Amino acid sequence: DIQMTQSPSSLSASLGDRVTITCRASESVNKFLNWYQQKSGKAPTLLLYDASTLQNGVPSRFSGSGSGTDFTLTIDSLQPEDFATYFCHQSFTTLGTFGQGTKVELK
Amino acid sequence: EVQLVESGGGLVQPGGSLRLSCAASGFTFSNSWMHWVRQVPGKGLQWVARISGDAGSTTYADSVKGRCTISRDNAKNTLYLQMNSLSDEDTAVFYCVRDKGGSYYHGVAADWGQGTLVTVS
């Protein structure tokens, strides 16, 4: 199985900050890397897919980049509704695998 | 608007069985790949199973293979997950998920239900 490792596991940030979360795959997943946001007690929602394509309705302050094994999720100008846990997910292999999550908290 | 509503979760003893259901609406269910994804409370996510729109193709995670069966009733717009020989390691919230690809497989979870909690104890 391809292992997905996110860093950091958690971070503290202030409103308006730029936040970057990284996701590393144990082997190449090409461009097939997706990002999900999960708020406390809720189901995850899709933010970006295929590394950099924004899902419909997702604010443009979210962006993604990378290919192969190294990917980043960037949130420009952190908003109150962005405090949540973020998961990366590779869909290169059948069913895929998720990262362990990065919790973004208010500093 | 896509709606996915899971039901069937609950408390079950080790070795027991449970059938989860997911009522879908707001899209052409019979054309869509569907999935079950689970999450141990406070932990990470694991893709459990997938099924094609015509139910002709199914795939399972190794951790549930032989114990779980994903199925669908396109006439009822409903997805199922039959789980047998449950252990405490199966305790999780189970989410019904619509694939972003629709009739073609993309492997991206575009829409999620609210989840149903399965507790094995």
Side-chain angles (χ1 to χ4, degrees):
Chain A
D1 287 0
I2 296 178
Q3 307 302 315
M4 307 301 294
T5 304
Q6 289 181 234
S7 60
S9 296
S10 65
L11 65 90
S12 298
S14 301
L15 293 176
D17 281 355
R18 187 181 201 207
V19 168
T20 299
I21 298 168
T22 65
C23 180
R24 174 164 288 178
S26 60
E27 58 187 270
S28 176
V29 297
N30 200 318
K31 67 170 184 175
F32 301 109
L33 191 284
N34 317 297
W35 291 97
Y36 301 89
Q37 177 193 66
Q38 186 175 34
K39 297 181 180 178
S40 181
K42 302 292 187 181
T45 59
L46 177 64
L47 292 177
L48 298 110
Y49 60 95
D50 295 346
S52 60
T53 304
L54 209 60
Q55 171 69 341
N56 291 342
V58 174
S60 58
R61 64 180 178 273
F62 291 92
S63 63
S65 64
S67 66
T69 60
D70 294 302
F71 300 86
T72 60
L73 169 69
T74 300
I75 311 171
D76 284 323
S77 189
L78 200 64
Q79 299 299 301
E81 59 269 30
D82 300 337
F83 293 99
T85 299
Y86 294 85
F87 293 94
C88 65
H89 162 247
Q90 65 83 9
S91 50
F92 181 72
T93 60
T94 303
L95 301 186
T97 46
F98 289 89
Q100 81 280 12
T102 296
K103 188 172 185 178
V104 176
E105 299 175 300
L106 181 62
K107 184 183 288 185
Chain B
E1 180 194 3
V2 172
Q3 285 203 328
L4 301 167
V5 180
E6 302 96 336
S7 60
L11 177 64
V12 61
Q13 292 183 339
S17 298
L18 214 54
R19 187 175 85 154
L20 307 182
S21 299
C22 170
S25 61
F27 63 101
T28 306
F29 181 74
S30 60
N31 283 355
S32 297
W33 281 83
M34 297 294 296
H35 310 270
W36 288 99
V37 175
R38 68 181 178 182
Q39 183 173 35
V40 175
K43 299 287 181 64
L45 294 152
Q46 181 190 27
W47 216 285
V48 174
R50 67 173 187 176
I51 186 168
S52 61
D54 64 0
S57 176
T58 58
T59 310
Y60 299 91
D62 287 344
S63 57
V64 304
K65 200 174 295 182
R67 299 189 299 117
C68 291
T69 302
I70 188 171
S71 62
R72 62 195 299 158
D73 185 335
N74 286 342
K76 295 182 178 179
N77 284 0
T78 303
L79 178 73
Y80 302 101
L81 184 68
Q82 175 69 44
M83 301 187 294
N84 302 323
S85 302
L86 288 163
S87 72
D88 55 1
E89 294 182 345
D90 295 310
T91 293
V93 175
F94 283 74
Y95 294 103
C96 168
V97 167
R98 184 180 76 94
D99 193 282
K100 181 164 182 61
S103 58
Y104 73 91
Y105 182 72
H106 195 158
V108 176
D111 300 285
W112 300 63
Q114 85 287 352
T116 187
L117 177 62
V118 172
T119 303
V120 184
S121 178

